[in-house]
Amino acid sequence: MANTKHRENTVLENQTDKPKPPSLYKVMLLNDDYTPMEFVVEVIQRFFNKTREQATQIMLKVHTEGAGICGVYPHGIAETKVNQVLGHAREHHHPLQCAMEEV
């Protein structure tokens, strides 16, 4: 038999399949005509741990291309970040949208 070892009348199959890593999700901000650019920069810095320069670059991508990726995370973390951003935007009466998409 290929890929087997015998030990005390027990056949052990070699494990060739490694556990699949968890799916990753990109978290994106979506452009709108109402949320101030400065607020978007602050959100990116606060919730995605980006420098002011990185946050400004992402905000400009959102503004010019309609969406910008703020980070890539496992499902639970991505979902939490989306909810945090949406909640924060609503508290400040901004229509900023945040979404996640499997990579």
Side-chain angles (χ1 to χ4, degrees), residues 1 3-14:
M1 285 186 203
N3 292 331
T4 59
K5 295 180 183 175
H6 295 280
R7 190 173 97 199
E8 297 178 17
N9 298 325
T10 304
V11 177
L12 301 173
E13 293 288 331
N14 277 347

Side-chain angles (χ1 to χ4, degrees), residues 38-82:
E38 183 59 32
F39 182 80
V40 175
V41 170
E42 290 171 8
V43 163
I44 296 167
Q45 286 181 276
R46 178 175 180 171
F47 295 104
F48 299 97
N49 227 11
K50 303 294 185 188
T51 64
R52 183 150 186 88
E53 183 179 328
Q54 291 170 321
T56 300
Q57 290 173 353
I58 294 168
M59 177 276 296
L60 289 172
K61 191 168 183 89
V62 171
H63 181 68
T64 58
E65 298 180 23
I69 299 171
C70 298
V72 177
Y73 308 94
H75 185 272
I77 294 171
E79 189 172 52
T80 298
K81 290 198 177 284
V82 168

